[in-house]
C-alpha cells in the first residue's frame, strides 16, 4: 500500500517526465497503485499522487475497465463538452462540477511498452482527462473559476482540519 499525497505537496505541481524503463520496478509500482486505488475506492490514480514524478496513471472503473496508461498523449477531443462532478484522492472530501470534452482519443503504452490507442467516452473519458492533468501538475480545481476554486479549497481545508490532519 502506498501513501497518497495531498494538496500542498510539491510533487502534485510538477511536470512529470516520460517513462523509459518498462522494468520490474514499474510493474511492482503499478501493482501497488492498483491495490492503493482499490482500497481508496477511487477510479483513477496518477503517479505523482504516490510521489512519483513520471508520466503514467491507472484507471479502474465500476464497469470492470482496468488499465494503465504510460506516456499517454491525448490526440483528439470532442467539441462537445459536458459538466461532471469530480473529486480527487489528493483532495479528499471535496467535489465540484468540471466542464471537459465528453470524448477523447488517447495514445499510450501499457506496462510492457506496447502502444495502444483508445477512443473513450463517458466516465472513462472523464477519468482519463483528470488523471492526464496530474502528469502536467494540474488539479481539477485549476479548471474552475477563481471563485469556485477558493470555495472548494476552503471546504477542503475545513474538512481536513476536522479530520485532524
Ligand atoms: Ni486526482
Amino acid at each position: 500500500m502506498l501513501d497518497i499525497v495531498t494538496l500542498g505537496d510539491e510533487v502534485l505541481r510538477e511536470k512529470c517526465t516520460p517513462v523509459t524503463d518498462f522494468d520490474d520496478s514499474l510493474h511492482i509500482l503499478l501493482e501497488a497503485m492498483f491495490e492503493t486505488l482499490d482500497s481508496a475506492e477511487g477510479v483513477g490514480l496518477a503517479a505523482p499522487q504516490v510521489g512519483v514524478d513520471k508520466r503514467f496513471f491507472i484507471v479502474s472503473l465500476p464497469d470492470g475497465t482496468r488499465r494503465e496508461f504510460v506516456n499517454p498523449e491525448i490526440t483528439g477531443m470532442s467539441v462537445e463538452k459536458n459538466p461532471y462532478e469530480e473529486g480527487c484522492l489528493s483532495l479528499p472530501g471535496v467535489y465540484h462540477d468540471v466542464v471537459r470534452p465528453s470524448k477523447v482519443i488517447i495514445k499510450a503504452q501499457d506496462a510492457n511498452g506496447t502502444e495502444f490507442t483508445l477512443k473513450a467516452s463517458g466516465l472513462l473519458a472523464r477519468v482519463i482527462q483528470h488523471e492526464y492533468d496530474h502528469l502536467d501538475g494540474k488539479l481539477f480545481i485549476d479548471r474552475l473559476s477563481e471563485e469556485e476554486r477558493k470555495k472548494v479549497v476552503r471546504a477542503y481545508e475545513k474538512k481536513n482540519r476536522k479530520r485532524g490532519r
Side-chain angles (χ1 to χ4, degrees):
M1 288 285 294
L2 304 166
D3 284 333
I4 297 175
V5 302
T6 53
L7 188 66
D9 193 306
E10 271 306 304
V11 71
L12 291 176
R13 292 311 193 174
E14 275 170 35
K15 179 147 176 87
C16 298
T17 58
V19 173
T20 51
D21 297 323
F22 295 81
D23 54 9
D24 281 353
S25 66
L26 176 66
H27 299 163
I28 290 163
L29 184 55
L30 282 167
E31 186 69 25
M33 282 172 69
F34 275 113
E35 275 176 35
T36 303
L37 182 59
D38 288 345
S39 124
E41 296 180 345
V43 287
L45 187 64
Q49 293 184 275
V50 294
V52 177
D53 60 348
K54 291 284 176 189
R55 301 190 74 80
F56 63 93
F57 61 80
I58 60 169
V59 170
S60 180
L61 303 188
D63 71 3
T65 303
R66 192 172 170 89
R67 71 193 303 169
E68 69 278 6
F69 297 79
V70 183
N71 298 329
E73 269 181 75
I74 292 179
T75 57
M77 289 179 175
S78 61
V79 176
E80 188 201 343
K81 296 181 179 190
N82 68 308
Y84 189 89
E85 190 177 64
E86 293 188 24
C88 181
L89 293 173
S90 294
L91 286 95
V94 290
Y95 304 88
H96 202 282
D97 270 0
V98 182
V99 176
R100 297 187 194 262
S102 46
K103 294 176 186 170
V104 294
I105 301 171
I106 187 167
K107 200 177 92 177
Q109 287 164 284
D110 69 12
N112 299 311
T114 305
E115 273 192 23
F116 63 92
T117 300
L118 195 74
K119 280 186 181 176
S121 59
L123 181 60
L124 180 59
R126 175 61 55 163
V127 177
I128 283 172
Q129 292 175 82
H130 176 114
E131 301 309 326
Y132 185 87
D133 271 355
H134 275 297
L135 308 185
D136 290 328
K138 225 177 261 174
L139 303 172
F140 81 89
I141 51 173
D142 303 329
R143 300 261 176 206
L144 307 178
S145 71
E146 197 184 334
E147 194 183 335
E148 290 170 332
R149 182 168 57 248
K150 281 182 178 163
K151 214 170 82 183
V152 172
V153 170
R154 266 200 304 272
Y156 167 76
E157 284 169 349
K158 201 174 157 193
K159 283 212 165 159
N160 289 279
R161 256 201 311 273
K162 274 187 196 155
R163 287 184 193 179
R165 285 196 187 172

